[in-house]
């Protein structure tokens, strides 16, 4: 069987990235060389001028930080995706674009797949992006995927991927709140399934709020005051290298406190104080102390979640659950607060670090890879008839049409038939005639399921003739509608006050925040002065 659907889902995160594949039986999150399911989104050049990705680069940047390492390793490149900014790596003098750096991360994920499954098709992938990404940022992500060798890239919004991963496909007319707290960013979205349509109804976020800020609080409020009480180092905060190393201590402690009531930080290997004394310190920290530190940040996320619910116009009581995404959502205090204050059940049944990649992979099954990309990977073997299929791979209808063309049969007068059956054995279609290589059939789907269908081709005598592909997949449950816009969009209009004669510019709104794309609006305005087409001297600037 050849596969014509996307088999790979990737969460290209600001802090960590994950890759999941459809191995034929289930969705499998692929571990990297270090046996981790997540790979830090850090790229660097090591002392031997070799490109490194993931934990190795991450450790150079934090655990083993030196001045040299800080200018040769780059984290959080997602923040500058779609900008013209270049990142310079001192060791080689290379200047790489955000797309090129992201491509290195994607390549390393891809290699992990090929190490485990050497024959796996990496021609196409679903890559997730934040709901608030602009077209420019989204396009840059797509190009990055192409650079990494995925010829066909389909983008999917992170909250939708998370919802699919949590099983939203099977939800009937439900509303979920997707709470995604990552390493450096917070995103909250209200997703709704209504009459088979999946949409992000409202969303909010803070681009500078995440697990990293919790590490910083531990450093600034606990570690540094304790160091300074014992050692003579008034400027320790301003030293980037030391700060980087402290971040590593703080992060390890923070993660431990998600599963333990208290932990201990050994501050060492950060050099001497100003009197020449080696800085060495043991600090105890309890979960309660940590909770006090992050309280304010959690308050803010809850406020943004409440705003999102308000903006969506959906009643709190109609929100079925909160789904958790991102590493910091493993913090027990965060889960308690969400449940207590939003009064919505929190679903913490899945791993919040890999759920976006899983959801992207499941979504991929519904995405056909266009023929142009398939040719180089799958040769049609001798005797097989090449078939081109057309159908909606994601639908909320229970009956759907499938049409197909078999080029080889276009000029053949003999009778041929096709028959479509589903894998689960609940549906078997009638034999349909293939006329001049073309056929058209209506098939029935199993509700809220991934439906796999087999196609059989027969000649006039009833002999089976091999076809390629011999199967296809349709997901029944939801179709995904367009993205909501993250900000209101309008133009600046200059108006003259008839009384005072003064002009001032006001914002004329075309589309409100959270309207669903595509959108269209025509308005007519008059100019204050005469304009001539093509006149370069007398132009009309329009502020969008
Ligand atoms: P991103 O979406 O930005 O790539 P992730 O979802 O991978 O981010 O989250 C990374 C953050 O999660 C880091 O700040 C990390 O320290 C934190 N983190 C990971 N595991 C835990 C845990 N068990 N408890 C608390 N924080 C955690
Ligand atoms: Mg994330």
């Amino acid at each position: 069987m050849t596969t014509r659907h996307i088999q790979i889902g990737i969460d290209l995160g600001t802090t960590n990235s994950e890759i999941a594949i459809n191995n034929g039986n289930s969705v499998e999150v692929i571990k990297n060389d270090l046996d981790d399911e997540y790979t830090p989104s850090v790229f660097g050049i090591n002392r031997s001028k070799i490109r490194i990705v993931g934990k190795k680069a991450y450790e150079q940047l934090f655990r083993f930080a030196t001045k040299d390492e800080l200018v040769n390793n780059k984290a959080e490149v997602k923040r500058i995706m779609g900008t013209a900014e270049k990142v310079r790596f001192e060791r080689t003098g290379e200047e790489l674009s955000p797309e090129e750096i992201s491509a290195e991360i994607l390549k390393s994920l891809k290699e992990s797949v090929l190490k485990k499954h050497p024959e796996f098709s990496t021609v196409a992938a679903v890559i997730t992006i934040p709901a608030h990404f602009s077209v420019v940022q989204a396009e840059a992500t797509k190009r990055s995927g192409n650079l990494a060798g995925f010829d066909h890239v389909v983008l999917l919004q992170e909250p939708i991927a998370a919802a699919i991963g949590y099983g939203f496909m099977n939800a009937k007319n439900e509303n979920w709140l997707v709470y995604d707290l990552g390493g450096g960013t917070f995103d909250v979205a209200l997703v709704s399934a209504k009459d088979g349509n999946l949409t992000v109804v409202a969303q909010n976020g803070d681009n500078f709020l995440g697990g990293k800020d919790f590490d910083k609080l531990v450093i600034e409020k606990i570690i540094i005051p304790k160091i300074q009480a014992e050692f003579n180092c008034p400027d320790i905060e301003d030293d980037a290298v030391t700060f980087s190393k402290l971040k590593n201590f703080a992060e390890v402690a923070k993660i431990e406190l998600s599963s333990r009531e208290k932990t201990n930080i050994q501050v060492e290997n950060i050099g001497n104080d100003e009197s020449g004394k080696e800085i060495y310190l043991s600090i105890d920290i309890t979960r309660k102390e940590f909770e006090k530190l992050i309280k304010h940040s959690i308050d803010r996320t809850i406020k943004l979640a409440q705003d999102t619910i308000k903006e969506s116009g959906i009643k709190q009581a109609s929100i079925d659950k909160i789904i958790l995404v991102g590493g910091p959502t493993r913090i027990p205090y965060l889960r308690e607060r969400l449940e207590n204050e939003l009064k919505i059940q929190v679903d913490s049944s899945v791993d919040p670090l890999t759920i976006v990649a899983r959801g992207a992979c499941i979504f991929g099954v519904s995405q056909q890879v266009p023929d142009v990309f398939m040719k180089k990977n799958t040769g049609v073997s001798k005797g097989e008839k090449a078939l081109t299929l057309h159908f909606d791979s994601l639908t909320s209808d229970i009956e759907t049409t499938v049409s197909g063309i078999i080029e080889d049969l276009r000029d053949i007068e003999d009778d041929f038939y096709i028959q479509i059956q589903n894998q689960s054995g609940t549906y078997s279609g009638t034999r349909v005639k293939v006329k001049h290589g073309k056929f058209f059939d209506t098939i029935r789907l199993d509700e809220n399921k991934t439906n796999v269908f087999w196609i059989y081709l027969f000649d006039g005598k009833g002999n089976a003739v091999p076809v390629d592909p011999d199967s296809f997949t349709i997901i029944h449950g939801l179709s995904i509608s367009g993205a909501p816009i993250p900000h209101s969009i309008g133009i600046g209009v200059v108006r003259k006050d008839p009384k005072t004669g003064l002009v001032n510019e006001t914002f004329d709104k075309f589309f409100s925040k959270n309207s669903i794309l595509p959108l269209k609006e025509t308005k007519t305005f008059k100019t204050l002065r005469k304009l001539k087409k093509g006149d370069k001297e007398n132009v009309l600037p329009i502020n969008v």
Side-chain angles (χ1 to χ4, degrees), residues 187-211:
D187 290 287
V188 55
L190 206 132
V191 295
S192 166
K194 207 167 176 221
D195 306 322
N197 219 349
L198 201 171
T199 8
V200 177
V201 187
Q203 48 134 11
N204 272 297
D206 184 332
N207 262 333
F208 296 92
L209 174 62

Side-chain angles (χ1 to χ4, degrees), residues 393-429:
S393 46
L394 199 61
T395 179
S396 51
D397 296 330
I398 202 74
E399 285 204 330
T400 189
T401 55
V402 176
S403 64
I405 302 172
I406 303 165
E407 283 298 336
D408 280 3
L409 304 182
R410 208 182 257 276
D411 304 319
I412 293 183
E413 288 300 324
D414 298 352
D415 286 347
F416 278 88
Y417 300 89
I418 62 114
Q419 187 172 16
I420 298 176
Q421 284 179 351
N422 74 357
Q423 197 178 33
S424 59
T426 52
Y427 172 81
S428 180

Side-chain angles (χ1 to χ4, degrees), residues 11-18 38 41 58 78 158 180-185 210-215 247 251 254-259 290 325-331 352-353:
D11 174 3
L12 183 59
T14 309
T15 318
N16 294 302
S17 298
E18 295 81 20
Y38 59 91
S41 306
Y58 177 87
K78 188 171 173 178
E158 286 163 13
D180 179 354
L181 189 58
T185 55
K212 198 174 73 169
D213 300 289
F214 302 166
D215 305 338
K247 173 176 152 129
E251 183 173 24
K254 171 191 74 178
I255 293 175
E256 279 176 340
L257 287 174
S258 284
S259 53
F290 176 68
V325 185
T329 64
R330 285 199 175 135
I331 299 172
L353 271 159

